[in-house]
Amino acid sequence: MAKNKVRLTTKGSYVILGNGLVAVTISKPQGCVTGIQYGGMDNILDLKSSASSRGYWDINWSLPGGQDIYQLLSGDEYNLIHMSNDVIEISFKNSFNPSDSSNKLPLSVDIRYIMRSGVSGFHCYSIYERPDGSNKAFDLAQTRMVFKLRRDRFHYMAITDEKQRIMPMPDDLLPDRGKQLIVPESVLLVNPINRDLKGEVDDKYQYSMDNKDGGVHGWISSGPIIGFWIIFPSNEFRNGGPTKQNLTVHTGPTCLAMFHGTHYIGDDILAHFQEGESWRKVFGPFFVYLNSTPDVSNAYNLWIDAKKQRLLEEAAWPYDFVSSPYYLTAKERGSASGRLFCQDRFVSSSLIPAKNAYVGLSSARTQGAWQTESKDYQFWVQTDSNGNFTIENIIPGVYGLHGWVPGFIGDYLHKELVTISAGSQTELGNLTYVPVRDGPTVWEIGYPDRTAIGFYVPDVNPMYVNKLFLNCPEKYRQYGLWDRYTDTHPESDQVFTVGISDTKKDWFFAHVDRRGPDNKYLPTTWTIKFNLDSIINGVYKLRMAIASATRSDLLIYVNYINQYHLVFQEMNLGMNNTVCRHGIHGLYELFIIDVSSSLLIKGDNSMFLVQARGGDSLCGVLYDYLRLEAPASPSLRAEIYIEE
């Protein structure tokens, strides 16, 4: 069949993009999507929401040291950017005057929509820009696009093959149907419209995803059966790199396209803009994909089809139909390739191929700083089983080459910056990551993968269950697991004996407070017991990799809890909020702690990890990996720290 031409229609204060498959109505000049007609449904967006709150862009920002400001992004100038039989692109722009001294958002925002012939959906993107000479400093916390779907039709969500379910209705979150729990976003469904959901907990953070693990999420309606999907063909424009966690869908029914946010990290990932600083970034395009079936028995196939469409979108990236000169095509980009090895003389005398490592280019210049880089683009891939990698479609610039390798602690950073130019194919050759190491392993706890997934995650209290996460690898998504530590250790704290205890059974996944008899939360002291056959004079090293931390006062003592035996103290550690947001990792940090041999004894020893902050049910440290190393001989230490 011949493709229908794309059409642009103006009706008063609205414009309509159509291609015979889908029609999108957008307010003019604001740029809000007020209607999507598809598959026999006149409007798949929520009819009970105002026209400006059905499909919209928004932002959270602040003046330095000021309060968070939330606002909808709205254009005041409408323009037709490109029009042909096959592609239409339209713009809704709000321009910032650099000399403006008011409290207006100091950004120019250009919202774009693209309709193509024969395509079951439409593309969305936006250009954020700070002009030269902007006289106001500000911090950018979050920006996204939000779609609110028809609450009477869309009840089933899907974000992975395993994470799919019928969701509550928005009215279920109201006081007469739901009970708000300690975490404001968590609601216990006591009288839901769908009685099958009674007794479950609903919380939008339970459906968070790492950037590297997402790419497509959405909803399926009933009568007619329509799939609404948000597809990210690339993560290059999203802040925080591959392990950054973002919201996807939540009760509403709401579908999110998150570009920039602070969730699971905190203020460390804020983008700070100084007075006079210019900046420009293209967020997107992402793809809104629509599919349908007349047969209810084929509803699940809409998810399968959406996953296939995601692969098609990824293969087409960067797109060749985007009109903005700030969005670079394939020929305007470059590539980089190489092979990464690990070197740890205490593991192998040979170089070890960095299997399934993550390697990426970021403007960050220090180890691990890619996690909090929020202004520029990032480009990441995973190595093959031999450590080979090729990063394609890189925007020209000067980057740090970063990486991390499952099974090895720390962050890799290439000693030289990498310059990418248009059309370049940069060969980086063989690269070697040498994780920090001083001496042989005395003992280790956990597996270094930047998460706490290998430790003991308890079953949920039956009072607070989300059935989706029963018998699921992501059981840590359940509500209230912080109190399960008290249930498993009601009188005394965790004791872990090296060589006897099992990390999957005996090491609680989060070092939290313990609930006392008066429901007051008390500091906790975890004990690691270990035996030394002999003592080597010198300095032992404790490598402590933390997967996440929130408002924690962490102290470490060796053998006695007194000032002389204190080897580590970090107050108010972390702002990740991982415990209350049902996560298993946040901002990764590696601490290297000196332990003098004078503090150790031949025979039985104890190390005490103290969560010293009491009164906070939601504070906590999620450990990734701990390793105690004995001192090495000077000659061996010199061999270990070799250059790449």
Side-chain angles (χ1 to χ4, degrees), residues 352-612:
I352 306 166
K355 177 181 179 181
N356 299 326
Y358 284 85
V359 179
L361 292 171
S362 164
S363 62
R365 298 290 195 266
T366 57
Q367 288 181 324
W370 56 267
Q371 296 178 98
T372 55
E373 204 294 301
S374 287
K375 290 183 180 179
D376 300 311
Y377 304 93
Q378 298 197 38
F379 305 88
W380 288 83
V381 295
Q382 202 167 5
T383 63
D384 65 17
S385 59
N386 295 313
N388 297 299
F389 65 90
T390 298
I391 308 174
E392 298 178 329
N393 299 314
I394 307 164
I395 293 173
V398 179
Y399 298 94
L401 179 67
H402 300 262
W404 59 274
V405 187
F408 296 88
I409 59 173
D411 282 273
Y412 170 73
L413 177 62
H414 189 40
K415 61 184 179 182
E416 297 176 354
L417 296 175
V418 177
T419 299
I420 302 295
S421 56
S424 66
Q425 297 179 340
T426 303
E427 297 291 341
L428 299 170
N430 291 337
L431 308 169
T432 303
Y433 172 44
V434 185
V436 289
R437 164 80 83 165
D438 273 32
T441 299
V442 177
W443 51 256
E444 60 185 348
I445 297 172
Y447 176 79
D449 65 358
R450 307 172 81 91
T451 79
I453 194 65
F455 296 122
Y456 172 64
V457 179
D459 292 333
V460 63
N461 184 328
M463 292 178 57
Y464 302 117
V465 70
N466 182 323
K467 293 178 183 177
L468 181 64
F469 300 107
L470 293 175
N471 305 312
C472 169
E474 292 190 20
K475 60 191 297 187
Y476 57 84
R477 295 289 183 192
Q478 299 281 12
Y479 175 86
L481 297 186
W482 52 88
D483 273 342
R484 299 299 273 168
Y485 176 75
T486 303
D487 296 337
T488 55
H489 299 84
E491 301 294 337
S492 59
D493 286 320
Q494 171 179 294
V495 177
F496 187 92
T497 303
V498 173
I500 297 175
S501 300
D502 183 347
T503 55
K504 294 186 180 297
K505 298 178 181 179
D506 304 315
W507 188 280
F508 201 80
F509 80 104
H511 192 171
V512 294
D513 284 356
R514 182 157 44 87
R515 189 181 66 253
D518 298 327
N519 284 328
K520 294 182 179 180
Y521 286 84
L522 308 174
T524 52
T525 299
W526 288 9
T527 304
I528 301 172
K529 292 187 174 183
F530 58 99
N531 185 276
L532 295 176
D533 294 332
S534 61
I535 303 296
I536 302 172
N537 288 332
V539 178
Y540 287 68
K541 296 286 186 179
L542 176 65
R543 314 285 182 191
M544 181 175 65
I546 288 180
S548 180
T550 302
R551 296 186 307 276
S552 292
D553 298 337
L554 182 60
L555 291 78
I556 300 178
Y557 300 88
V558 176
N559 280 326
Y560 296 94
I561 299 179
N562 59 39
Q563 193 63 32
Y564 176 75
H565 291 82
L566 176 68
V567 296
F568 178 82
Q569 177 176 306
E570 188 77 20
M571 310 305 285
N572 202 29
L573 178 61
M575 304 180 282
N576 301 176
N577 283 329
T578 300
V579 173
C580 69
R581 289 175 175 169
H582 328 296
I584 202 67
H585 72 88
L587 180 64
Y588 175 86
E589 296 183 82
L590 176 62
F591 295 94
I592 300 173
I593 302 161
D594 289 346
V595 179
S596 171
S597 59
S598 65
L599 301 179
L600 299 167
I601 60 174
K602 183 178 179 180
D604 292 333
N605 290 262
S606 295
M607 184 174 290
F608 304 103
L609 311 182
V610 181
Q611 171 65 269

Side-chain angles (χ1 to χ4, degrees), residues 29-50:
Q30 294 83 6
C32 298
V33 178
T34 63
I36 302 174
Q37 183 180 9
Y38 173 79
M41 197 180 297
D42 288 342
N43 194 350
I44 68 175
L45 299 182
D46 186 33
L47 303 178
K48 294 187 177 181
S49 296
S50 65

Side-chain angles (χ1 to χ4, degrees), residues 32-107:
C32 298
V33 178
T34 63
I36 302 174
Q37 183 180 9
Y38 173 79
M41 197 180 297
D42 288 342
N43 194 350
I44 68 175
L45 299 182
D46 186 33
L47 303 178
K48 294 187 177 181
S49 296
S50 65
S52 62
S53 59
R54 298 173 185 172
Y56 57 90
W57 296 73
D58 62 14
I59 192 168
N60 291 76
W61 66 283
S62 62
L63 299 172
Q67 295 295 314
D68 178 75
I69 301 170
Y70 170 82
Q71 72 179 71
L72 296 178
L73 294 174
S74 179
D76 58 17
E77 177 186 349
Y78 163 72
N79 284 290
L80 172 62
I81 301 299
H82 174 85
M83 185 170 187
S84 68
N85 289 337
D86 296 320
V87 181
I88 294 177
E89 180 170 335
I90 52 179
S91 162
F92 305 84
K93 187 173 183 179
N94 192 318
S95 297
F96 173 69
N97 182 349
S99 61
D100 190 339
S101 59
S102 70
N103 287 331
K104 181 181 177 182
L105 172 68
L107 273 180

Side-chain angles (χ1 to χ4, degrees), residues 289-324:
Y289 180 56
L290 301 160
N291 56 10
S292 63
T293 178
D295 187 349
V296 66
S297 65
N298 290 330
Y300 180 77
N301 291 337
L302 298 184
W303 163 251
I304 302 300
D305 177 60
K307 291 197 301 177
K308 292 178 180 177
Q309 188 63 39
R310 174 199 171 187
L311 297 178
L312 294 175
E313 298 298 318
E314 289 177 345
W317 186 270
Y319 297 135
D320 60 5
F321 52 80
V322 180
S323 294
S324 172

